[in-house]
Amino acid sequence: MMLRRDFAKAALLIAAERCLHAARGLPELKITDVKVIPTSAGHNYSWVFLKILTSEPGLYGIGSASNINEAPAVVTAIKEQYAPFWIGKSPDRIEDLWQSSNVRTYWRNSTIQNNVLSALDMALWDIKGKRAGMPVYDLLGGKVRDAVPLYAHADGRDRDQVVENISRYMEEGYRHVRAQMGGYGGGGFIPPGKGSRPANGFDGPAFDEDLYIEEIPKLFEYIRTRLGKEVKLLHDVHEHLTPTGAVEFAKRMEPYRMFFVEDILPPEQIDWFRRIKEVTTTPMAMGELFTSPREYVPLISGRLIDFIRCRVSQIGGITAAKKIAILCEEFGVRTAWQEGGDNDPVNQIAAYHLDLSISSFGIQEENHFPPAVHEMLPGTAELRGGYLYGNGDAGLGIDIKEDIALKNPLQPVRPGDSWTTVRGMDGSLVKP
Ligand code: MG
């Protein structure tokens, strides 16, 4: 039988525990509202940001749902399909809300759905970090490096201009530089109107695989002759090659000790990576078009690529990317999250928090923004001497000035052909 004294002791313990819980400052939290912020940021960007508001006054999180090609569909999906599902739920349950949102549509991993999941996930990590008073990288396990090394993009009309631009980045402090000669597929184009063409057919710049396979290794031979072995070189094929052409190209690039060759195959032909791995040590990077684990899991677990290049805002956010990074660690594959061109600073900072805290990190793609973007998104990461730096603030450490964003509405999708349409001499499509 419990004595009166023991009862009093137990009651005191319970009261003390309640006090401790209250002292942690973690009362129950609910999602109270969801805002969608589409913006051009005063430039040609097509960005979509998400803001999740909570029952704690002033506590909110932001995330990136940007999708340059399908922005209006992403906006509608959040407003009509997901916001009503999220409001009233607890933002603390990141994993559960991610999983339940992923099966909400029954069909999983569509591009638009992944953008929505990514934005939700980033906003929830932002909220959790702000509540904890910690930057997200601390919640993910803490820093394993001091800053995030970046690779720069050097392009040029000819070999000398490419070398000049690589040298400029090296002087700035970059150790890794991607080299292209005239954009994606550059070096492999027959000029407009030249060569044997069908009557009244396609007259524009025509991609020729054999020309590309001859010219690009010569470019890298030239770069090595001029700049030596110190710089770590990358190149993006952007899927222009046939599978057999890709195997041949990978072999020919071996003497130039590449850091990686990117997107040598289109996602439809990834089984050919096995053949490439059998014949050459040229490191392979792939994954910016992936949306489903069915695409990246076999390549990583089969050790068929060296770098995974998913876009954090396209693969499902910090939660999904962290799982990919852990998988990579087990199989000796490294990360190189895709961050170029049309990406936004919120996605960049999400990648930054991952990069700082994962052991399987390889390299981060560089992206820099004009001053107006830094003004609209205070806390946008800073690039200095080939490294990316965040501000160390709690959460993601980035905010959005909604008035500026809304003053610069999303531009309507432009009709007609885009950069994704590349054609050969006979007018047929080459994979972009
Ligand atoms: Mg690429």
Side-chain angles (χ1 to χ4, degrees), residues 138-418:
D138 268 339
L139 299 180
L140 297 175
K143 283 187 183 181
V144 295
R145 54 187 48 79
D146 302 322
V148 175
L150 302 168
Y151 73 83
H153 296 173
D155 205 330
R157 281 187 313 273
D158 53 36
R159 293 175 202 174
D160 283 316
Q161 204 178 50
V162 176
V163 165
E164 199 179 300
N165 286 329
I166 296 172
S167 307
R168 191 165 47 82
Y169 282 119
M170 289 170 73
E171 279 162 28
E172 277 182 38
Y174 283 90
R175 298 164 59 235
H176 304 76
V177 185
R178 190 189 78 172
Q180 310 288 134
M181 191 169 60
Y184 300 128
F189 284 101
I190 295 169
K194 293 278 182 344
S196 175
R197 309 246 180 181
N200 305 317
F202 175 65
D203 210 25
F207 185 76
D208 184 90
E209 171 170 276
D210 293 319
L211 182 62
Y212 186 83
I213 292 172
E214 284 299 321
E215 288 303 312
I216 295 302
K218 282 187 207 161
L219 166 68
F220 281 85
E221 187 175 13
Y222 189 71
I223 295 169
R224 283 293 182 214
T225 308
R226 292 283 307 277
L227 300 176
K229 289 276 194 289
E230 188 192 332
V231 61
K232 297 172 198 303
L233 293 170
L234 298 75
H235 180 71
D236 189 353
V237 177
H238 236 277
E239 315 160 42
H240 286 51
L241 302 176
T242 62
T244 308
V247 178
E248 177 65 23
F249 183 76
K251 279 169 66 178
R252 290 196 187 199
M253 293 298 279
E254 194 174 290
Y256 313 115
R257 292 294 306 274
M258 301 298 290
F259 186 77
F260 66 58
V261 169
E262 173 183 344
D263 287 345
I264 201 166
L265 294 162
E268 297 82 6
Q269 299 299 342
I270 53 181
D271 288 349
W272 282 80
F273 275 113
R274 192 173 298 281
R275 189 73 59 85
I276 291 173
K277 279 283 159 211
E278 281 164 5
V279 300
T280 178
T281 56
T282 299
M284 291 291 131
M286 180 76 196
E288 69 184 60
L289 286 172
F290 291 166
T291 54
S292 169
R294 306 291 158 260
E295 294 165 306
Y296 56 75
V297 169
L299 287 185
I300 295 169
S301 62
R303 300 180 175 91
L304 299 174
I305 55 170
D306 302 271
F307 293 86
I308 188 77
R309 278 189 49 72
C310 299
R311 182 184 289 203
V312 178
S313 65
Q314 189 58 69
I315 206 68
I318 292 167
T319 295
K322 175 81 178 175
K323 290 175 186 179
I324 294 172
I326 292 167
L327 184 72
C328 283
E329 189 181 337
E330 298 303 327
F331 291 99
V333 175
R334 289 187 282 168
T335 65
W337 311 123
Q338 196 257 7
E339 280 297 331
D342 57 280
N343 269 288
D344 66 70
V346 177
N347 184 45
Q348 183 185 54
I349 205 83
Y352 164 84
H353 286 277
L354 285 156
D355 294 339
L356 273 187
S357 59
I358 55 178
S359 296
S360 54
F361 172 82
I363 192 71
Q364 177 62 64
E365 185 174 10
E366 161 303 323
N367 202 1
H368 53 273
F369 302 101
V373 168
H374 285 260
E375 196 192 332
M376 187 184 88
L377 293 153
T380 292
E382 304 277 350
L383 279 72
R384 291 194 297 275
Y387 289 89
L388 191 68
Y389 297 89
N391 57 17
D393 285 358
L396 292 175
I398 194 166
D399 205 352
I400 183 162
K401 289 187 179 165
E402 285 176 64
D403 54 335
I404 300 181
L406 296 173
K407 252 186 253 162
N408 296 287
L410 202 67
Q411 301 297 308
V413 178
R414 285 180 295 275
D417 277 357
S418 72

